[in-house]
Amino acid sequence: MGNVFGGKSRPSRVTEQDKAVLQLKQQRDKLKQYQKRITLQVEKEHLLTKQLLKDGRKEKALLLLKKKHYQDQLLDKTENQISNLERMVQDIEFMQIELKVIEGLKAGNDCLKSMHQIMSIEDVERILDETQEAIEYQKQIDDMLAGALTQDDEDAVLAELEAITQGEDIALPDVPAEPITEKASTQPERRRAKNTEQMLSV
C-alpha cells in the first residue's frame, strides 16, 4: 500500500555496513545461546554420569563421557566462532570510525583550500607591508610632535592630562575673536608723539 498522504519516503540512514554489523551480531547471539544450552546439558549429564557409576552402570556412564567429550569440542569451536564474529564486528565498527575521520579531514582540507584562495600569500605580505608602513608613519608623527614641544609645553600637557584624569576643569585663557595687529596697537602712541612735537614748536 502506498503512502496515504502522498508524502515522499525519507531515505534510510542505515548503511550496508550497519546491516552487516547487525547480521554478525545476530549470528553471535545465536551462537551464545547454543553455547549456553550445550553447557547446561553437559553439566546435567556430568551429574548423571556420577549417578550411573554409583549405580554400577559403567557402560552407560562411559557413553555419557564420550558424549561429553564430543560436546566439549563443540563448545571450543563455538567459542572460536564467537570470537571471530566479535573481532569482525569490531573491525567493521573501527573502519566506520576511520571513514568518518577521513571525511572530516577531507572537509577540513577543502575548507583550508577555499580560504587560501580567498587570501593568498601575496595578499598577506601586502597587508603586513601596509601595516608596517602605517606604524612607521605614526612613529614619524609622534617624533615630530615630541620635537615641536618645549619642556614647558610638555609639563603643561602633562598637567592638563592629570587634571582631565582627575575630573578637574582647567581655566584656559580666552582667545580674542579678532587678531591684534602691530599697526592697530602703535597708532595711538604715534599720534600722541606728533601732538607733543607741535606744542613744543609753538
Side-chain angles (χ1 to χ4, degrees):
M1 180 181 292
N3 194 339
V4 177
F5 298 99
K8 295 182 179 179
S9 59
R10 295 182 180 179
S12 176
R13 295 183 180 180
V14 179
T15 63
E16 294 298 325
Q17 291 81 7
D18 294 333
K19 294 179 180 178
V21 170
L22 180 60
Q23 291 178 356
L24 290 172
K25 289 182 177 181
Q26 289 176 345
Q27 293 295 328
R28 177 202 61 190
D29 294 340
K30 289 181 179 179
L31 285 175
K32 286 185 176 181
Q33 292 176 359
Y34 172 77
Q35 184 184 41
K36 184 177 181 180
R37 186 172 64 253
I38 295 297
T39 301
L40 292 175
Q41 185 175 353
V42 168
E43 291 176 356
K44 290 180 180 180
E45 291 180 353
H46 180 69
L47 295 175
L48 181 58
T49 300
K50 289 183 177 181
Q51 186 64 37
L52 290 173
L53 290 174
K54 289 181 180 180
D55 296 340
R57 302 172 62 181
K58 186 176 180 180
E59 294 181 358
K60 183 64 175 179
L62 183 60
L63 291 175
L64 289 178
L65 288 175
K66 289 181 179 180
K67 182 179 180 182
K68 178 181 178 300
H69 181 72
Y70 174 73
Q71 289 174 334
D72 289 338
Q73 292 179 351
L74 290 178
L75 290 174
D76 292 337
K77 292 180 179 179
T78 302
E79 184 64 29
N80 292 331
Q81 291 176 353
I82 292 174
S83 299
N84 292 333
L85 290 173
E86 290 180 343
R87 189 180 301 110
M88 188 172 294
V89 169
Q90 293 175 356
D91 291 341
I92 294 176
E93 290 177 344
F94 184 73
M95 182 62 67
Q96 288 177 320
I97 295 174
E98 286 186 332
L99 289 175
K100 291 181 180 179
V101 172
I102 293 174
E103 290 176 357
L105 292 175
K106 183 178 181 300
N109 190 26
D110 293 339
C111 181
L112 288 176
K113 287 182 179 179
S114 62
M115 294 176 67
H116 291 163
Q117 292 176 356
I118 296 174
M119 181 174 292
S120 61
I121 297 178
E122 291 78 9
D123 294 334
V124 175
E125 291 178 349
R126 176 179 55 80
I127 294 174
L128 292 176
D129 292 339
E130 292 177 353
T131 303
Q132 185 62 31
E133 291 177 359
I135 293 174
E136 293 176 355
Y137 181 73
Q138 183 62 40
K139 186 176 183 299
Q140 292 177 0
I141 295 177
D142 295 339
D143 294 340
M144 291 174 62
L145 292 175
L149 298 178
T150 63
Q151 185 60 42
D152 293 338
D153 295 332
E154 291 284 352
D155 295 339
V157 170
L158 293 176
E160 182 179 356
L161 178 62
E162 182 67 20
I164 294 174
T165 303
Q166 296 179 358
E168 299 178 357
D169 295 332
I170 300 177
L172 299 176
D174 296 333
V175 179
E178 297 180 357
I180 301 174
T181 61
E182 182 180 358
K183 181 178 180 181
S185 61
T186 58
Q187 187 175 1
E189 296 178 359
R190 290 178 180 177
R191 186 177 298 172
R192 286 195 297 269
K194 186 177 181 182
N195 293 334
T196 302
E197 290 177 357
Q198 290 176 357
M199 290 176 65
L200 292 174
S201 61
V202 173

